[in-house]
Structure formats: C-alpha cells, structure tokens
Amino acid sequence: MTKLHSIAALLLFTVTSTVLGQPTVWKPLTTEPYAGKQDDIAFIDKNNGWYVNGYGKIFHTVDGGSTWEKQLEQKGTFFRTIAFVDKNIGFAGTVGTDYFPNVSDTIPLYGTKDGGKTWQSVSYKGPYVKGLCAIDIVKEQYINHGNIDYKTHIYAVGRVGSPANMMTSHDGGTTWTSHSMNDDCKMLFDIKMLNKNEGFAAAATHEDISQSNALILKTTDGGNTWKKVYQSNRPFETTWKIAFPTPKVGYVTIQSYNPDPSVKQQRVAKTTDGGVTWTEINLVEESQAREFGIGFIDENHGFVGTLNSGFETTDGGVTWQKIDLGRACNKIRIYKDEQGTIYGYAIGVNVFKL
C-alpha cells in the first residue's frame, strides 16, 4: 500500500473538525468487541480512564485508550454508568433486573477505592433503587484551615423503563441516601449538575413509551425538589443525555421510538438562559437516526451520537453534518486540562477518542 493510500484509509476511519483553529480528530480505539451499545466511559485525565458495558465488564486504561485492561467481569450484571472522583475512588451503576435479558444483579451501585482493582456494593439509606443510568460529580471549593480544598458531591439517577430514583452523596461517596422521583417523572436517563444545588435531569413522563413525552427537570436545591422546564407534545418520546458547555447554554437529546416510518424528524432541545426555557432544534430528517449521546466543546461546537452515525455542529445546532462516531454512540465526554487543551472520549458499539 502506498503512503497516499495509507492516508486515505486512515481518513475513512477518522473525522476531522476544528477546535480553536487546531485540527481535531475522532479516532476509533481498539477495544474488546461488543455486540451492542456500550453505555459509559469516564476519564480523570488524558491517560487514565474506564469504560463499562452490559456484560458486567469494566475496562481501564493508563495510556489514553491505546491499551485496555479488563478489571472486572461479573456475570449477570449490566453496568450502565461509571464515574471517578480521582484515580482511586470511583463508582459504577447498574441498570438492574427486569429490563434486559440475563440480568440478575439487583445491586444498583458499586464502588472502588483502589482505582478499579476491587469493587464492593455501596450501601445507602432510603428506598430501594431499581437501577441507575447516570452519575455526575460536582467538586465544590472551600477554605480549609487557610487552604483551598474541595467537597465532593455525587448524584446518580435511573432508570430506563422505570422506576425513577435518585441517589446522592455529599461526602465524596462515603455515605449515600436515596429518594423516589416517581412523582416528578417515570424514567430517568441522565443528570447534569452545574453546581451542588442547580442541575437538570433528562426524563420521560410515562413508563409506557407509547404514552411518553420527553421531559427535562430542573432542581435548585440539590435534587430535593424538581420543576418541569420542558416537555415534548409527541408520544413515543424520551430525553436521553445532557450537555452544558456553559452555565447558560445547554443541549439535551430527544429520542423518538415512533413506529411510523413517516415520522422522520429528529430533534434536540436547547437552552440559552440556563435552563429556564428550552427550544427544539432540528437534527436530521431520518427515521433511523435515534439519538443517544451528546457532547459540546463550547456553546456552538458539539456532537450527537445516533443509532447509525454521528452528527457535528459548529453553529449551535443551526446546521449539522454527518460524521463517524460509530453506531449507537451513547456517551460523549469532553474534557479540558489545566492548560486549556481539549480532549474527549465517546462510547457506543465502539470507543472513540477526540
């Protein structure tokens, strides 16, 4: 193969765009094959990260995804979400039983204190949590004996298929409490906290998808109470994932499960006033482009994963271009290091690196 052909072959598997004038690339990583949609990936820096899937597996990398080590394989567990406080302390949530086949694990949350080498079930006070779909972490600065320190708040919600529950920890994961959110919604898919008090939940109004509307909830008291800020007016819809590139500008993917093939329009909800009001923007007119993950570099430049492909916008969702993010890209995480360098990871059937 000539050098020119090699470059052409590489371009078949990468997507280029521009971030702050610098070219960027979404590149597929070599990972263990998985038959369906893998749900979550999390990094604490450019090199150290973890991802999970429905086979009860947790993988870890120390070289930015070039190589992966399987840390855990637990039959009967469907891992749905993962998040780490630092290189040692992390949490992995499960979807629970009675939704996917061959799932027997009824423990909603596992924790590690050694970087994923060992995992234990997490105890909590409150009503039973059937399953979790998302975890978010907020680090709050405070003055500790004359030095800047952090209090770590962790929020977890679920689940797809109902019921709707929330788990919270305000001491870095040492202790947890749970409460039902079934009075606010019937399914929960994602949570994004802007700070320890203010945040948003991606939800659905009904456990029966044929009667469900997409729903976005807002809290101003750390999840104790919630207010509806957006609801679609079409059946067969849910929300899915949330991205807030700035405190004012946010995006939420809207999923359509309408079986009518003539219903083709896919939409994203957008706010420019910190989630007080939301408008619908069109993604693509394609019945098979069911939306999953979403991530934004800044208020205008972002990405959406769908069932068959990905999409990119550089103008805040006014226009979208199809890109390769693999099939069913479920979670897109964009990070910025202390030097301001942007990097990211995305996971679905495959794992990609920005």
Side-chain angles (χ1 to χ4, degrees), residues 150-171:
Y150 295 89
K151 294 179 181 177
T152 300
H153 308 274
I154 312 174
Y155 308 81
V157 296
R159 70 173 190 162
V160 63
S162 80
N165 289 288
M166 181 176 184
M167 296 177 66
T168 56
S169 173
H170 296 291
D171 54 14

Side-chain angles (χ1 to χ4, degrees), residues 290-342:
R290 181 175 302 139
E291 299 172 43
F292 292 102
I294 189 166
F296 270 72
I297 292 169
D298 56 38
E299 62 183 33
N300 293 313
H301 191 178
F303 312 90
V304 167
T306 74
L307 187 61
N308 293 322
S309 64
F311 289 86
E312 178 181 21
T313 182
T314 56
D315 55 16
V318 176
T319 61
W320 297 86
Q321 296 78 40
K322 187 173 286 190
I323 62 171
D324 181 15
L325 276 174
R327 297 187 66 250
C329 178
N330 189 68
K331 191 70 177 183
I332 302 170
R333 293 195 184 269
I334 307 293
Y335 302 98
K336 183 184 291 187
D337 66 16
E338 294 179 353
Q339 288 72 43
T341 303
I342 293 167

